[in-house]
Amino acid sequence: MSDFNRIMVKEIARMGEKAKIVRRNAMGNISPNIEWIKWLSYEPEFEKKRIEYLDSKKISELSYEELQEACRYSRDRTFAKLFKIYGTSECSEEIYMKVYDYMCNESIEELMLRKLTAEELQYAKQEITRLSEISKEQLSAKVADKQKLETYEQLSMAESYILHIISSINYDKSMSDLNKEIETQLEQNEVMKQSSSHYASNPYIKK
């Protein structure tokens, strides 16, 4: 983040009622901070067991890798709480900047992959492959339906991951179509421009 952007964000963080600045585009009614809260708050069964194991050992008994792992789980829990007050009247300037910096520097996709089981990832891969091959209209309709907040809250973590990925695919397809339309319009404008220029330089040509 540039120094100028950071100054702007700090100014917003000092406001009483703070606006939420988020990184990435929202998925319909699902803003990025809602996704962060869902994934940071989620502890799959294998993770719970791992946390129990690490908690059962003394710090002196943990290896360097295990200490890093324990810190990561603790950090997930901490930021899950911070995201919930981000942009509210309860949010201090320090917390505001912590959450914003976290969004700038962390990958939600990596968090998702870390939280899903091998079976869930295999299922997600198959679904994403299938959905990426359907028509743009079908994909847009499917994405729009699941991007409703009440629907999103009921999705499993695997389905939430699939929605995250296919929303990007749908966005890319829409942008691709938009770019094609813009290119076509530019080409048409250029033809008209050249035609007008030709007639202007040859006033006796019959139209």
Side-chain angles (χ1 to χ4, degrees):
M1 178 170 50
S2 69
D3 290 340
F4 176 75
N5 285 343
R6 191 165 188 80
I7 291 170
M8 292 292 291
V9 173
K10 280 189 174 182
E11 285 301 314
I12 293 172
R14 292 190 183 103
M15 294 165 56
E17 285 293 328
K18 301 178 180 67
K20 291 181 182 177
I21 298 179
V22 294
R23 304 288 290 182
R24 300 185 298 104
N25 294 320
M27 294 194 309
N29 294 324
I30 313 303
S31 67
N33 64 299
I34 291 175
E35 278 196 285
W36 278 115
I37 291 170
K38 182 167 187 172
W39 286 94
L40 287 167
S41 302
Y42 175 59
E43 291 182 353
E45 198 58 39
F46 69 84
E47 191 174 279
K48 289 178 182 177
K49 291 180 180 178
R50 185 63 179 167
I51 292 171
E52 287 176 8
Y53 166 74
L54 294 171
D55 286 345
S56 70
K57 299 179 74 174
K58 296 178 181 178
I59 293 179
S60 58
E61 297 174 336
L62 296 173
S63 67
Y64 176 72
E65 288 75 17
E66 287 173 332
L67 280 170
Q68 284 188 312
E69 188 180 358
C71 286
R72 186 174 68 229
Y73 295 139
S74 176
R75 192 164 179 254
D76 285 352
R77 288 176 173 177
T78 297
F79 274 95
K81 294 175 183 176
L82 295 184
F83 266 96
K84 288 176 182 177
I85 62 172
Y86 175 63
T88 69
S89 57
E90 301 174 45
C91 185
S92 67
E93 180 183 342
E94 181 185 4
I95 290 174
Y96 193 96
M97 294 309 299
K98 275 186 178 179
V99 173
Y100 186 75
D101 286 340
Y102 184 92
M103 285 190 285
C104 289
N105 298 311
E106 300 295 328
S107 166
I108 195 167
E109 289 80 12
E110 288 181 10
L111 176 66
M112 293 172 173
L113 294 175
R114 175 158 61 83
K115 297 277 187 178
L116 295 173
T117 65
E119 291 78 13
E120 287 172 323
L121 287 171
Q122 182 60 33
Y123 165 71
K125 180 181 178 181
Q126 293 172 348
E127 277 297 287
I128 291 166
T129 300
R130 181 182 70 81
L131 292 169
S132 65
E133 294 173 351
I134 65 177
S135 71
K136 183 173 67 69
E137 291 74 21
Q138 288 177 307
L139 183 61
S140 294
K142 194 170 189 67
V143 167
D145 179 59
K146 293 192 175 183
Q147 284 179 344
K148 297 172 184 174
L149 184 57
E150 60 273 18
T151 303
Y152 179 75
E153 289 175 342
Q154 301 303 315
L155 293 180
S156 69
M157 302 313 286
E159 290 291 344
S160 297
Y161 174 70
I162 293 167
L163 177 62
H164 179 87
I165 300 300
I166 64 171
S167 293
S168 296
I169 293 171
N170 185 54
Y171 174 79
D172 289 342
K173 283 186 175 182
S174 297
M175 287 305 296
S176 176
D177 288 346
L178 177 60
N179 287 334
K180 286 178 182 176
E181 288 179 15
I182 292 172
E183 286 175 8
T184 300
Q185 188 62 46
L186 288 174
E187 288 173 1
Q188 290 175 349
N189 289 351
E190 185 61 28
V191 170
M192 291 176 66
K193 180 181 176 182
Q194 290 178 359
S195 178
S196 298
S197 176
H198 178 64
Y199 282 122
S201 61
N202 297 275
Y204 299 109
I205 294 178
K206 292 182 178 180
K207 298 179 183 180

